[in-house]
Amino acid sequence: MRGLAAVMQGRRIQYAETLREGLRWPFPAGLAARLTGAQVLGFRRRAKFMLMRIEGGTSVLIHLGMSGRMVARGAGHIAASQGPQGAVSDARGHNAPPERHEHLVMTLEDGTRIGFVDPRRFGCVDLVPTAAEDAHRLLAGIGPEPLEDAFTPAVLGAALAGRQTPIKAALLDQKIVAGLGNIYVAEALYRAGISPQRLAGSVAGARVLRLVPAIKAVLTESIEAGGSSLRDYVRADGEIGIFQENFAVYGRAGKPCPECPGLPGCGGVAQIVLAGRSSFYCPKRQR
DNA sequence: CATTAGCCCTGAGAGC
DNA sequence: TGCTCTCAGGGCTAAT
């Protein structure tokens, strides 16, 4: 979102075009027309959704899903494309051929072209009145923002109390806390020394006191590193985030965790499936 | 109500 | 080289 804001905030969208009917859901009627000619007023984020305020009291709600990315190119911006499609890096403006899996294109007056690229099409775009952003059906009921001061051990502890589901599943539940995904849940639980299998209701006392700062630290550090770039994700400016280099457990099955450097009898990071998702943890450090 | 399985998609990598 | 199989930053919906 910060990358997009740097490119789009205060600028006017000269022309917008949808290149297919929709992604996860059909694009809202008149999306391209609403974007065309509108000035971009500002951005905010709620959970994993970006909200782009444009003229006319409208906001554009954007979710990148699993494989989505916003790509800015032309007018001096570095292309985010990679591989064989990299040849379009010096293409400018709206006449450039669409990148593979580019579904929505916005061209600014200076020729910058911003594309929503999403191979798996799990992402979504919708329009919502700016005055009622949080009333959108996809945002209603979402839990507290983990980086805000209001997210305290007391608040998380209350949300987890009585829950019989594994803490891993509870933290992925956006109604309990907003914006955590599979990677950051794994990393936060590692730092807090909590097993992903532990029942959520039993995460209390000292464990919640460790978990809340662990969540805040993981997210803050990753944002500072530009995010985590696995497979196809790149930021709007084409640079990749580098937080994946700091993963302690995610994707590191069998390798020693940072705190247990190859001790005899230690099998290293374990991988199990919880809530339908791969979970990585150190059985020695996480209880 | 709380929790889980299925499903929406394409692409990359592993194994044969 | 090419095929098949499995898995991947998410989250809605139906079933249990």
Side-chain angles (χ1 to χ4, degrees):
Chain A
M1 187 204 73
R2 292 176 180 181
L4 259 196
V7 172
M8 298 188 76
Q9 186 149 348
R11 308 289 180 78
R12 190 172 298 280
I13 300 168
Q14 188 171 59
Y15 183 65
E17 183 181 14
T18 54
L19 302 179
R20 62 180 301 119
E21 294 299 300
L23 300 172
R24 173 155 194 178
W25 297 287
F27 290 131
L31 173 63
R34 290 284 278 285
L35 291 168
T36 296
Q39 188 179 13
V40 177
L41 302 178
F43 286 82
R44 88 167 172 117
R45 178 197 56 75
R46 175 74 174 113
K48 297 173 186 170
F49 294 86
M50 291 189 279
L51 287 147
M52 178 173 76
R53 278 185 296 124
I54 60 174
E55 283 177 311
T58 296
S59 294
V60 186
L61 181 73
I62 300 169
H63 195 299
L64 298 177
M66 294 271 271
S67 59
R69 62 193 199 255
M70 304 299 298
V71 177
R73 55 187 165 130
H77 292 289
I78 302 163
S81 55
Q82 53 208 10
Q85 274 73 40
V88 299
S89 61
D90 56 359
R92 307 181 67 251
H94 211 88
N95 293 327
E99 183 169 344
R100 190 160 158 78
H101 301 302
E102 193 170 37
H103 310 304
L104 170 67
V105 185
M106 295 171 281
T107 304
L108 306 182
E109 289 172 318
D110 67 358
T112 303
R113 171 190 172 120
I114 295 102
F116 187 171
V117 177
D118 184 11
R120 292 179 72 179
R121 308 206 298 273
F122 287 174
C124 66
V125 178
D126 203 3
L127 296 171
V128 60
T130 300
E133 286 178 349
D134 291 321
H136 191 283
R137 66 177 182 94
L138 294 171
L139 297 183
I142 289 209
E145 284 292 330
L147 293 180
E148 290 182 357
D149 291 341
F151 183 66
T152 62
V155 165
L156 180 60
L160 297 176
R163 291 263 178 170
Q164 294 298 299
T165 196
I167 182 66
K168 155 75 183 279
L171 293 179
L172 284 176
D173 183 347
Q174 303 293 294
K175 294 192 288 294
I176 291 188
V177 54
L180 290 181
N182 204 28
I183 290 177
Y184 299 116
V185 166
E187 295 297 312
L189 287 174
Y190 171 78
R191 293 186 187 207
I194 300 170
S195 166
Q197 302 173 91
R198 170 172 284 276
L199 292 186
S202 76
V203 176
R207 286 192 174 87
V208 220
L209 289 175
R210 295 197 303 267
L211 181 54
V212 167
I215 289 170
K216 291 175 187 273
V218 163
L219 293 176
T220 301
E221 289 171 29
S222 183
I223 290 167
E224 283 172 5
S228 306
S229 298
L230 307 184
R231 303 172 192 85
D232 45 15
Y233 179 73
V234 288
R235 303 186 303 184
D237 60 4
E239 297 298 306
I240 62 169
I242 57 168
F243 190 68
Q244 66 279 8
E245 295 170 14
N246 295 325
F247 288 170
V249 289
Y250 184 85
R252 306 190 72 248
K255 297 176 183 171
C257 87
E259 303 294 320
C260 314
L263 296 175
C266 178
V269 173
Q271 177 175 4
I272 60 174
V273 174
L274 283 175
R277 317 286 299 276
S278 278
S279 306
F280 301 89
Y281 70 107
C282 175
K284 198 164 187 164
R285 289 200 73 242
Q286 296 176 252
R287 301 287 167 157

